[in-house]
Each structure stands twice: as C-alpha cells, then as structure tokens.
Amino acid sequence: MDPSFINELTNCLQHTVSPERETRRSAEAYLKAVELRPSYCLCLLHILQDPNVPSPTRIAAAITLKNFIKNHWQVDSDETDRIHTSDRDGLRNQIIGAMLSVAGNIQSQLSEAISTIWREDFPEKWPNLIPELVQRMAQLGADLNMVHGVLYTAHTLFKRYRHECAGPDLYREMKLVIGQFGAPLTELAKDLPEFFEDNMQDWMTFFRSLLQLNASTLNLTNETNENNNATVLVEQIKSQICDNASLYASKYEPEFASYLPGFVTDVWEMLLGTSAQTKYDLLIGNAIGFLSCVISRPQHRHLFENPETLQKLCEKVILPNMHFRALDEELFTENPDEYIRLDLEGSNAQTRRRAACNLVHVLCEAFEGAVVTNFATYIEHLLNEYTNTPNGGAWTSKDAALLLVTSVASRGKTEKLIGNAIGFLSCVISRPQHRHLFENPETLQKLCEKVILPNMHFRALDEELFTENPDEYIRLDLEGSNAQTRRRAACNLVHVLCEAFEGAVVTNFATYIEHLLNEYTNTPNGGAWTSKDAALLLVTSVASRGKTEKV
C-alpha cells in the first residue's frame, strides 16, 4: 500500500465529517474519484485500525468501506468489476482480524461488510471463513471485545437463515455451517464461566444490594438535575441487573436457583415503587421480562400461585403498564414509524406495553383459568370506565382493555385456556354497554369464521378421548360441567351473539351451516363427517337460545 495514498485518504475522510457543507462535498467527490485505484479497500481497512487516527475519521473509514462493499462487491454479468482481484483476496484474508481488533461502531460496520461478502462468496470463494471464526473463538481467552466481535458477526451472518427460502443449496450451506461452527459454539456457551460460578455468592449479593438502592438518596444522574427525564444512573444499573438475572434464570438455572427467590422479591418491590416516568421505561421492561422468565418455568411458579399475588401482578404491574401514556401519544404523533418499530413483538426494544403483554401470555399459560377470570373483571372495569366518561375522555381505558383482550386470546395453547378466552368474549358481549365493540359486520364475521367455527370442529384429539373414555368426554362436554372446552365455549358464544345481534349473526350462521353441509355432501365416503357434526352443533346452538320471534 502506498503511504502517500493512505495519508490522502485519511485527510479526505477527516473532511467528510466537517461541519462545512462544501468541504464535505469535495471530500466525497474525491473518494468517488479514487475508489477504482488498486488497494483502495485495503487502505480504508488500514486507516480504520490505526489508533493514531481520530475516532470520527476511523468511523468514517469503516462506513465508507462498508458502503463500497455493499455497492460493488456483487458484480452482474454485464458490469465491470470495480474491485481488483487482489483487493478482494486481501479483504477476505484481513477483514476478520481487523473486525476483532476494533470495537463499537467500527466493529459493527465491519460485521455488516463481512455479511455482504459472505452472501456473495460463501462457501465457494471464502471456504476458510467459518474455520477462521472458530480459530479466533478458540483463542479468545478473557478478551470480551473479541467474544462480542465473533458472536456478533456470527449472528449477522446466520440470521438470514430465518427467512431464506428453503432449497437444496440453502440446506447444504446450513449443514456446512452447523458442522463447522455448532460444536465450538456449544462448547463456548454451554457452561457458566468458572470465575463467575466460583464467585456467584459475591456477585449475587452485590447485585441484590444494587437493586435495593434508592436512587433519590444518591442523586446520581447522567445529565443535569434540572432535566426530569434524565436517565438515572442507578436505574440503568438496575435494568442491566434484571437483564442479567433473566439470563441466569434461563441459562444457568441450577446455579442460580438458590438466589432466585430473593431476586423475585427485590424486583417485585422495585416494580411496585417505580413511577411511570420515561426514564424508567427500560428498567420496567427488563424487570417485567425477568418475572415472565421466572413464571414461564414450572419449577418456579409456586412463587406466584397465591391468588393475592396473582391479583397484585394484574393490578399493580400489568394494568398500569398497558395504558397508553401521554408520552406514547406524543411519540406516535411525531414519529409513528418509530412507535410501531418499538411496539412490534419482534423488536429488540423492551417497551412497557410489550413487556406487560408478554407477562399476560406467560400468566395465561401458567395459571390458565385463575388469571383469565381476573383479566375479564379488569377488562369489564376498563370498558365501564370508558363508557361512563363523556366525550371519549377515557379512551386510553378502552385501548388498554382491547390490548388486554388480544393478549389473553393470542397465546391460547391449551384446551382450557382457549375455552376461557372464548368465555371471556362471551362475558363481554353479553353486557349491552360493550356490544358496540363487536357490532361492526366485519368484526362479527371474523368472530364466526376465526373463533367459533374452528373451535366447533370435532378434532382428532376429541375423537381419541371419545373412543378411549366416552364418559369423560361426555362429562367435559355437558353444559353443566365446570370444564370449559373449546366446543362448549364456542356454543356459548353463539348463544350470546344470537341474543345480542339477532338476525345479523343468524344469517351468517345459516351461510356457514350450508357450507359445512355441502362440504360433507361433496366429500366421498363420509370423509368430511366432522363438517356435518359442526353444522349440526351450530344448528342446535343457534336454535337453543332463541329468545325472540326473529331468532
């Protein structure tokens, strides 16, 4: 590499971060003009690793290199290759080492560049990539920056397998990756590092003491005290400790088991004493996430199974954090894309509302009927609050109620939970003051198609139970039984809908009954007998609660 060219590039990159617009434009034009020169890529790689170069310039070099690779590494058949072959070989040989020698933004930029090269060249043109990552991983020692670099790069490379279309080439590539990377990764991650395991008592005692700190007595902030929204340093630490505790509870349960009840107590008390200010959002999200992590494991559910504890979880933790705050409304108004990004379930950000929804899911799976009954009461209260407040002044209560409804219903994984979720809908619709939530024809149609019909069908599991234990099946399916099966809950919802909306839903049901009977008739050898069974069940459900002439 030409030292004078490196100096020219360094000066030019410094100018790209200049506050003067013309200076920046001239520097960018120069970079565009020289990008075809041999060793251009390698010079950028050299600059971003040079500790004597100012940090902004090194970051600019990393971004420039990443963008150049993204724009020009792939060459179409009718295009001229803008990267010299020697530069391509040099980058493939040096970029992993360079990525592991830097940190922060520079490292993440290089990881993205590696990902771009990987998509085009692996495995044919870059067969030594995974072996080099494995070799680096074996040499990591205690260098956490290198650990982060290797694992972050691996994540960047492998995450595309989540959405790639299946095919022989993809399977061959995945098999190669798993064969080379799977065992070393497992060896790295399977055990708690010896140092931390040997000193867990000290660490956990220290962590708990930090969780119990009262930030207001310490007056520790990252910004001036006049800024009420300044992120409190103590709360940042507490948030990270909650995240650490979740990791220990999920990955190292045997080692952490004796400390877990104490952490549950501390996190619980902290949640009850933390306000709704924005600066606590990350802390609240991680704290609720920790409780969700604990409750999701059957061996720890006894810590929460007391009815009073469940009630407090609902009232003091879930409901307050489901409400749409003025700050949320402000963000949604000013930057709706950002609000949606944060609120999406797949987002990495842990918002209060999404954390509360996840806790609802976990509670419904862990305690089923007990919490669903609680939630039904709270939803009714929220809807009454909305109805009784003039001019829609309590619209946030309605929003919280609908969010709670979808959270309860969206994770039904057991017969009883599905039955209770449908039962909850029946409970809401049976009250005249709440029927406006469902009176839209499209909503009624979806209730029929997506909730009632699928749960009226006689499934293979039902047939198996009926064959092996008919008395038990009949006991569960009887209307007077305490058990809330899917089919009986769906029948009850039909009754309620017929009483609430009369002709509108009866007309819908008539259409579905005709469709089910046609399906049975047109399927040879009685292959669709479950459709006939569902049609007959729907007929009796519609007819059995007819309280008006019209029905």
Side-chain angles (χ1 to χ4, degrees), residues 198-246:
D198 292 343
N199 295 276
M200 275 192 76
Q201 177 68 45
D202 296 336
W203 279 103
M204 297 306 152
T205 302
F206 183 53
F207 283 166
R208 288 195 61 192
S209 67
L210 290 174
L211 282 177
Q212 296 163 11
L213 276 179
N214 186 344
S216 62
T217 64
L218 299 177
N219 199 27
L220 290 173
T221 63
N222 285 343
E223 301 179 33
T224 59
N225 293 330
E226 288 77 11
N227 183 359
N228 291 329
N229 288 326
T231 302
V232 179
L233 179 60
V234 172
E235 310 311 331
Q236 285 182 313
I237 295 172
K238 288 182 178 181
S239 175
Q240 185 58 54
I241 291 172
C242 290
D243 206 23
N244 293 351
S246 297

Side-chain angles (χ1 to χ4, degrees), residues 275-394:
S275 73
Q277 289 177 276
T278 309
K279 62 184 178 183
Y280 299 120
D281 282 2
L282 182 61
L283 171 61
I284 294 296
N286 284 342
I288 295 176
F290 168 69
L291 294 183
S292 299
C293 178
V294 175
I295 296 170
S296 67
R297 283 156 175 76
Q299 63 269 34
H300 303 315
R301 288 176 184 168
H302 66 279
L303 298 171
F304 300 89
E305 63 188 2
N306 183 287
E308 185 178 347
T309 303
L310 290 174
Q311 184 178 350
K312 283 187 176 179
L313 261 180
C314 299
E315 290 182 2
K316 306 295 185 182
V317 176
I318 292 172
L319 292 182
N321 290 297
M322 277 195 162
H323 269 277
F324 199 75
R325 301 169 298 169
L327 291 166
D328 299 317
E329 185 177 2
E330 182 180 330
L331 176 60
F332 183 78
T333 302
E334 295 181 355
N335 194 344
D337 291 342
E338 176 66 8
Y339 177 85
I340 293 170
R341 184 190 70 80
L342 291 172
D343 208 47
L344 282 174
E345 188 163 348
S347 167
N348 290 326
Q350 183 72 299
T351 65
R352 288 175 181 249
R353 279 162 63 93
R354 192 152 59 79
C357 290
N358 290 339
L359 182 55
V360 171
H361 300 158
V362 171
L363 285 172
C364 287
E365 292 172 17
F367 302 106
E368 295 189 340
V371 292
V372 173
T373 303
N374 277 349
F375 289 140
T377 303
Y378 301 133
I379 291 166
E380 183 176 3
H381 169 75
L382 290 166
L383 292 175
N384 284 333
E385 196 173 73
Y386 168 73
T387 304
N388 297 329
T389 304
N391 303 319

Side-chain angles (χ1 to χ4, degrees), residues 474-484 488:
I474 293 170
R475 184 191 70 78
L476 291 173
D477 209 46
L478 282 174
E479 189 163 346
S481 167
N482 290 326
Q484 182 74 303
R488 190 155 59 78

Side-chain angles (χ1 to χ4, degrees), residues 318-524:
I318 292 172
L319 292 182
N321 290 297
M322 277 195 162
H323 269 277
F324 199 75
R325 301 169 298 169
L327 291 166
D328 299 317
E329 185 177 2
E330 182 180 330
L331 176 60
F332 183 78
T333 302
E334 295 181 355
N335 194 344
D337 291 342
E338 176 66 8
Y339 177 85
I340 293 170
R341 184 190 70 80
L342 291 172
D343 208 47
L344 282 174
E345 188 163 348
S347 167
N348 290 326
Q350 183 72 299
T351 65
R352 288 175 181 249
R353 279 162 63 93
R354 192 152 59 79
C357 290
N358 290 339
L359 182 55
V360 171
H361 300 158
V362 171
L363 285 172
C364 287
E365 292 172 17
F367 302 106
E368 295 189 340
V371 292
V372 173
T373 303
N374 277 349
F375 289 140
T377 303
Y378 301 133
I379 291 166
E380 183 176 3
H381 169 75
L382 290 166
L383 292 175
N384 284 333
E385 196 173 73
Y386 168 73
T387 304
N388 297 329
T389 304
N391 303 319
W395 67 269
T396 56
S397 296
K398 178 182 177 182
D399 174 79
L402 294 175
L403 184 61
L404 193 49
V405 167
T406 55
S407 299
V408 170
S410 64
R411 290 297 175 90
K413 293 187 177 179
T414 68
E415 178 76 17
K416 188 176 179 182
L417 181 53
I418 288 290
N420 283 327
I422 298 174
F424 158 72
L425 291 176
S426 299
C427 177
V428 174
I429 296 170
S430 68
R431 287 159 172 75
Q433 65 268 35
H434 304 321
R435 288 176 184 168
H436 65 280
L437 297 170
F438 301 89
E439 63 188 3
N440 182 287
E442 186 178 347
T443 303
L444 289 174
Q445 184 179 350
K446 285 186 177 179
L447 267 177
C448 298
E449 291 181 358
K450 305 297 185 182
V451 177
I452 292 173
L453 292 182
N455 290 297
M456 276 195 162
H457 270 276
F458 198 76
R459 301 166 303 162
L461 289 171
D462 300 316
E463 185 177 3
E464 182 180 330
L465 176 60
F466 183 78
T467 303
E468 295 179 357
N469 194 342
D471 292 340
E472 176 65 9
Y473 178 84
I474 293 170
R475 184 191 70 78
L476 291 173
D477 209 46
L478 282 174
E479 189 163 346
S481 167
N482 290 326
Q484 182 74 303
T485 65
R486 293 170 184 250
R487 279 161 63 91
R488 190 155 59 78
C491 291
N492 290 339
L493 183 54
V494 171
H495 301 158
V496 171
L497 286 173
C498 287
E499 293 173 13
F501 302 106
E502 297 187 338
V505 291
V506 173
T507 303
N508 277 348
F509 288 140
T511 303
Y512 300 133
I513 291 167
E514 183 179 2
H515 170 75
L516 290 166
L517 291 175
N518 285 335
E519 195 172 72
Y520 168 72
T521 304
N522 297 329
T523 304

Side-chain angles (χ1 to χ4, degrees), residues 45-77:
L45 195 65
H46 174 82
I47 293 169
L48 64 85
Q49 296 178 81
D50 189 347
N52 297 318
V53 174
S55 179
T57 306
R58 295 173 64 196
I59 293 174
I63 294 172
T64 302
L65 177 61
K66 179 202 71 175
N67 290 337
F68 180 73
I69 290 173
K70 184 178 291 186
N71 293 331
H72 302 302
W73 197 269
Q74 181 183 15
V75 182
D76 294 333
S77 56

